[in-house]
Amino acid sequence: MRIVIADDAVLIREGLSALLRQAGMTVLAAVKDAHELLDAVAGHRPDAVIVDIRMPPTYTTEGLAVAERIRRDYSGIAVLVLSMHIETEYALAIVNSGEGGVGYLLKERILDVEQVVTALRELASGGAVIDPALVEELMARRRTGGRIDRLTVREQEVLALMAQGLTNRAIADRLRLSSKTIESYVTSILERLQIDAAEGVHRRVRAVLMYLRSNSSAGWGP
């Protein structure tokens, strides 16, 4: 997989570049700001981009803005946004920007390069990846109204693990259930949420986005 990395911290971008290369990825460029990132994307057309949410000059939402622009102008490029802290509002804005191919992880996850590689591959296949810490925070808050309330407690638990990017097998291992049981839960979730099996629609991603939007619509801030 061909990657472009953008982070103003030289240690992070060079360290992550080295780790990804060791994992068999091709790092085309490692840049320090949004302008250089856009130039690199235009010049290399990578498979995926990893971008820090806060970059020069204001260190506020430059990374978020450039991620949204890449998503808009280069629909085939997956985008993984990194953040030092859980920033609920920004993370939900990222996942609400499209049906798949976009994700959000805390920077501490880059210490586990296997997790980053897994996330990139999931995004490249059209999936959505959300940091487990964010999902746990959303689970701890009350939801009011909406289709999510149609789900049983166990179905909501399965959906929350889906939102973390876990496969059915991984969810089964986590909950100590059979894979067939998890498949039944997933089927029930999709039916209860009324997500049709329309051509070209990634039903699992739609379910995850509906879950995250249900938390966002309750009016919570970061």
Side-chain angles (χ1 to χ4, degrees), residues 18 21 29 31 40 43 46 59 79 85 111 117 138 149 153 175 190 196 200 207 213:
R21 288 188 177 109
V31 302
Y59 295 94
V79 177
H85 309 288
L111 297 175
V117 169
L138 294 176
D149 285 342
V153 173
L175 299 181
L190 297 176
D196 296 330
R213 285 168 179 159

Side-chain angles (χ1 to χ4, degrees), residues 20-38:
L20 289 175
R21 288 188 177 109
Q22 290 174 10
M25 298 285 179
T26 299
V27 179
L28 301 170
V31 302
K32 66 180 183 300
D33 59 38
H35 294 298
E36 291 186 1
L37 174 57
L38 289 175

Side-chain angles (χ1 to χ4, degrees), residues 15-178:
L16 182 55
S17 295
L19 289 172
L20 289 175
R21 288 188 177 109
Q22 290 174 10
M25 298 285 179
T26 299
V27 179
L28 301 170
V31 302
K32 66 180 183 300
D33 59 38
H35 294 298
E36 291 186 1
L37 174 57
L38 289 175
D39 287 343
V41 168
H44 296 290
R45 297 298 178 98
D47 300 309
V49 165
I50 301 176
V51 55
D52 185 7
I53 201 168
R54 298 181 183 273
M55 290 196 297
T58 67
Y59 295 94
T60 54
T61 59
E62 283 87 355
L64 180 61
V66 75
E68 291 174 344
R69 181 169 173 179
I70 292 170
R71 290 281 296 159
R72 182 183 68 245
D73 296 345
Y74 304 93
S75 59
I77 297 178
V79 177
L80 178 60
V81 178
L82 300 180
S83 177
M84 187 67 73
H85 309 288
I86 299 176
E87 301 180 84
T88 310
E89 180 181 356
Y90 297 151
L92 291 172
I94 291 166
V95 298
N96 284 339
S97 68
E99 293 181 355
V102 61
Y104 173 96
L105 288 180
L106 292 177
K107 277 192 174 181
E108 64 189 59
R109 308 299 178 193
I110 66 177
L111 297 175
D112 182 357
V113 68
E114 195 170 307
Q115 185 173 4
V116 178
V117 169
T118 299
L120 289 169
R121 288 175 175 157
E122 176 66 21
L123 297 180
S125 69
V129 174
I130 308 300
D131 195 278
L134 173 64
V135 176
E136 289 175 6
E137 180 169 316
L138 294 176
M139 286 180 64
R141 301 172 173 182
R142 288 186 177 180
R143 289 182 293 273
T144 58
R147 295 182 189 176
I148 298 299
D149 285 342
R150 301 175 186 176
L151 305 181
T152 65
V153 173
R154 177 64 89 179
E155 287 170 345
Q156 290 187 34
E157 187 175 9
V158 170
L159 182 53
L161 293 173
M162 288 167 58
Q164 294 182 28
L166 271 65
T167 63
N168 286 356
R169 179 60 183 272
I171 294 172
D173 291 343
R174 179 76 64 88
L175 299 181
R176 297 183 180 179
L177 298 171
S178 70

